[in-house]
Amino acid sequence: LNVGGTYFVSTRQTLCREPKSFLCRLCCQDGPELGSDKDETGAYLIDRDPTYFGPILNYLRHGKLIINKELAEEGVLEEAEFYNIASLVRLVKERIRDNENRTSQGPVKHVYRVLQCQEEELTQMVSTMSDGWKFEQLISIGSSYNYGNEDQAEFLCVVSRELNNSTNGIVKEPSEKAKVSPSVLSLQ
């Protein structure tokens, strides 16, 4: 194939992976050709951008969507639509949608807090956390206080919250309380 002045060599089997595609109809159909021109070497002339043809051909070769960082996904989508490769069109659209979702969310930032408590206060502290705080780690700091005849172990409780809880670009400030997810409440 001569795509925009760049030669690509492939097998008929690869080009016919998508039976309804332009490439399959171009070289794999019995009977009259699509009326495509050939160059002086006999290669089919396709007046398209060769930069975006590489990912198309590689997809037909191994069924995976691989796009170099320098290439715009929208360009690959345009070519996939031109060549009528429906499964590739779906994959590229999914990737574009995923990238848009990822960039619209922005980077996730966390606020961490370390809360100090004694063993008898631990259950109450964990049960009163709120406003999106999440339990991260419980650390026994190994020191004990002696209150009368009872020894009380002391703990550090590390909690976090996503700072990127925004609505219309306005970041909500974390509250003074913290929250633990219910699956972590199995402390004994």
Side-chain angles (χ1 to χ4, degrees), residues 36-101:
S36 294
D37 292 332
K38 292 185 178 184
D39 68 9
E40 62 279 354
T41 67
Y44 287 104
L45 282 170
I46 302 174
D47 189 18
R48 300 297 289 186
D49 187 343
T51 307
Y52 291 101
F53 186 71
I56 303 294
L57 187 55
N58 282 331
Y59 175 77
L60 292 174
R61 286 177 173 149
H62 49 68
K64 294 181 182 176
L65 175 58
I66 300 172
I67 302 175
N68 293 336
K69 292 179 182 179
E70 309 85 50
L71 293 182
E73 292 164 335
E74 290 79 5
V76 177
L77 176 60
E78 182 67 30
E79 295 306 293
E81 289 173 341
F82 172 81
Y83 292 109
N84 194 32
I85 303 173
S87 59
L88 181 56
V89 168
R90 279 191 303 277
L91 276 176
V92 177
K93 283 182 177 180
E94 277 179 30
R95 182 175 289 185
I96 290 170
R97 191 172 36 253
D98 289 347
N99 287 341
E100 286 173 353
N101 288 341

Side-chain angles (χ1 to χ4, degrees), residues 117-187:
C117 66
Q118 296 170 357
E119 184 177 15
E120 68 182 19
E121 300 168 327
L122 187 60
T123 304
Q124 181 182 1
M125 184 198 63
V126 167
S127 65
T128 59
M129 289 194 248
S130 63
D131 293 333
W133 287 93
K134 180 175 97 172
F135 175 82
E136 294 289 337
Q137 187 175 8
L138 182 65
I139 304 166
S140 173
I141 56 176
S143 64
S144 298
Y145 289 99
N146 191 349
Y147 295 104
N149 292 335
E150 295 181 28
D151 287 335
Q152 290 289 318
E154 193 168 10
F155 296 94
L156 296 178
C157 184
V158 181
V159 295
S160 72
R161 177 181 173 172
E162 285 186 15
L163 189 58
N164 193 14
N165 290 342
S166 63
T167 308
N168 298 329
I170 301 169
V171 177
K172 296 178 188 174
E173 289 299 319
S175 74
E176 293 301 315
K177 294 184 178 181
K179 182 175 184 169
V180 170
S181 62
S183 63
V184 184
L185 292 176
S186 61
L187 300 172

